[in-house]
């Protein structure tokens, strides 16, 4: 009985992998919204409460769009595993009010996130999916941090090898959406 069960599981795995072998690799390039870790980050002390706020620096961080490179391998027709690489640029300015000293520097942020992508059964020219990714982000001035990226709904449209893609994203890197192009091989 045990050998039969193992044989059946192996057969299901081989059949599922064979079905996904048409084009098992995919590479996606995205441009997304602004980095949500630092989008609203502004450390401005409250000057109305005491004189201590006068000595504290005011820090403001501005970000640009997040660029994403994404690789997936189709384990089965409906599940893929892969890795995301994110890049964005940070502009940080600090003002000390007591002596009016102003510091400005730029920093690059890199993120690496392993992911799981689940496809919803749909037509060949319009495919729906969801995905979850967790990993680490690194910025030279801020060190490393935990990062996550959740896509409750995403869609791919057009061809089987080259296609467009759009996603609704909620995570520590992007909150909003991103759009891109994908290549399946």
């Amino acid at each position: 009985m045990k050998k039969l069960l193992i044989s059946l599981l192996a057969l299901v795995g081989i059949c599922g992998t064979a079905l996904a072998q048409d084009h098992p690799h995919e590479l996606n390039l995205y441009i997304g919204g602004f980095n949500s870790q630092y989008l609203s980050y502004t450390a401005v002390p409250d000057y109305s409460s005491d004189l201590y706020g006068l000595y504290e620096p005011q820090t403001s961080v501005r970000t640009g769009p997040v660029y994403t490179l994404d690789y997936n391998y189709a384990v089965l027709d409906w599940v893929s595993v892969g890795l995301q690489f994110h890049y964005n640029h940070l502009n940080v300015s600090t003002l000390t009010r007591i002596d009016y000293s102003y510091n400005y520097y730029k920093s690059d942020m890199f993120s690496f996130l392993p992911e799981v992508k689940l496809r919803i059964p749909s037509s060949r020219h319009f495919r729906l999916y969801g995905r979850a990714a967790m990993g680490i982000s690194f910025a030279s001035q801020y060190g490393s941090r935990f990062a996550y990226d959740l896509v409750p709904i995403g869609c791919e449209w057009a061809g089987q090898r080259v296609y467009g893609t759009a996603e609704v994203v909620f995570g520590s890197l992007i909150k909003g959406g991103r759009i891109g192009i994908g290549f399946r091989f």
Side-chain angles (χ1 to χ4, degrees), residues 43-58 97:
V44 179
D46 183 15
Y47 293 112
S48 63
S49 62
D50 56 17
L51 288 176
Y52 178 75
L54 191 61
Y55 294 96
E56 285 295 306
Q58 299 177 6
R97 301 223 354 136

Side-chain angles (χ1 to χ4, degrees), residues 75-150:
V75 179
L76 299 171
D77 273 347
W78 56 275
V79 66
S80 298
V81 294
L83 181 68
Q84 293 180 4
F85 171 74
H86 300 270
Y87 167 79
N88 73 308
H89 190 71
L90 304 172
N91 295 315
V92 182
S93 59
T94 304
L95 171 68
T96 306
R97 301 223 354 136
I98 195 70
D99 61 356
Y100 288 103
S101 63
Y102 182 75
N103 294 324
Y104 177 78
Y105 60 91
K106 296 179 180 183
S107 180
D108 295 320
M109 179 178 238
F110 303 96
S111 303
F112 301 95
L113 292 87
E115 72 175 359
V116 174
K117 182 176 182 179
L118 302 173
R119 285 191 171 73
I120 299 168
S122 51
S123 72
R124 292 176 51 101
H125 297 291
F126 186 80
R127 295 172 296 277
L128 297 174
Y129 63 89
R131 83 167 105 201
M134 291 188 297
I136 190 166
S137 65
F138 177 78
S140 59
Q141 298 293 331
Y142 297 105
S144 59
R145 293 182 172 197
F146 172 75
Y148 67 96
D149 195 30
L150 299 174

Side-chain angles (χ1 to χ4, degrees), residues 6 23 30 35 45-46 49 54 70-71 91 93 108 111 115 134-135 138 155 157 165 169 185:
I6 291 172
H23 305 296
Y30 297 99
N35 188 313
D46 183 15
S49 62
L54 191 61
D70 176 60
Y71 169 77
N91 295 315
S93 59
D108 295 320
S111 303
E115 72 175 359
M134 291 188 297
F138 177 78
C155 65
W157 64 89
T165 182
V169 184
F185 54 97

